[in-house]
Amino acid sequence: MYANDGFRELDRQECLALLVTVPVGRIVYTRQALPAVLPVNFRLDRDGAVVVRTSASSELASAIDGAVVAFEADEVDAVAHSGWSVVAMGLATLVTDAVEHARLLRTGPRSWAPAPQEVFVRIAQELVTGRELVGGGTLYGVHPPS
């Protein structure tokens, strides 16, 4: 982010607080050497990691296990010209521990597209950034035309 781009930079705690307010984000990963983006429902785990539940046979599960990915979520109000965006980057891993898997079955996200065999993917938040625009105002003091 750039200090003078007109948005307010959010600290890590503000970013985490905003992430828990929305049910859907996007995972950015590499597919055939090109960027790929998939919307997913998610939940933050107790340690702040992003947790996604998906089919065990999904392309997503195999593509991101052991890879560094980006996760993005946002909320935008087009009428008020305001909103925020949070990006978390880190290593994605499949949850293979049986006890942890059982815990996530109880506390983790519910799949919006259930499959017969599902896995949980954890994205460690090694780097978290966020920015906010409030009410269409900018740091420049210039407002968009009505």
Side-chain angles (χ1 to χ4, degrees):
M1 284 187 284
Y2 302 100
N4 294 315
D5 69 356
F7 291 85
R8 183 176 78 83
E9 187 173 342
L10 302 171
D11 66 31
R12 183 181 184 90
Q13 289 307 98
E14 289 174 301
C15 289
L16 296 178
L18 288 170
L19 283 178
V20 300
T21 68
V22 294
V24 175
R26 286 154 292 286
I27 294 179
V28 182
Y29 64 101
T30 303
R31 182 174 65 200
Q32 298 177 356
L34 295 172
V37 181
L38 282 179
V40 294
N41 65 301
F42 73 99
R43 183 166 292 165
L44 285 188
D45 204 3
R46 56 189 177 202
D47 64 353
V50 172
V51 177
V52 174
R53 187 175 185 165
T54 188
S55 168
S57 61
S58 71
E59 177 187 316
L60 178 65
S62 61
I64 68 174
D65 185 29
V68 173
V69 301
F71 176 83
E72 190 272 344
D74 55 41
E75 188 168 72
V76 176
D77 183 333
V79 174
H81 300 168
S82 63
W84 57 266
S85 175
V86 171
V87 176
M89 291 163 275
L91 184 65
T93 55
L94 292 179
V95 173
T96 57
D97 179 77
V99 172
E100 183 69 359
H101 184 84
R103 181 184 70 82
L104 290 172
L105 285 172
R106 292 187 311 275
T107 64
R110 300 287 174 239
S111 179
W112 287 12
Q117 292 186 331
E118 295 179 325
V119 293
F120 291 98
V121 179
R122 293 177 59 80
I123 302 170
Q125 294 191 18
E126 296 170 26
L127 177 62
V128 179
T129 61
R131 53 194 231 152
E132 175 185 42
L133 178 63
V134 178
T138 71
L139 295 178
Y140 305 118
V142 177
H143 296 277
S146 300

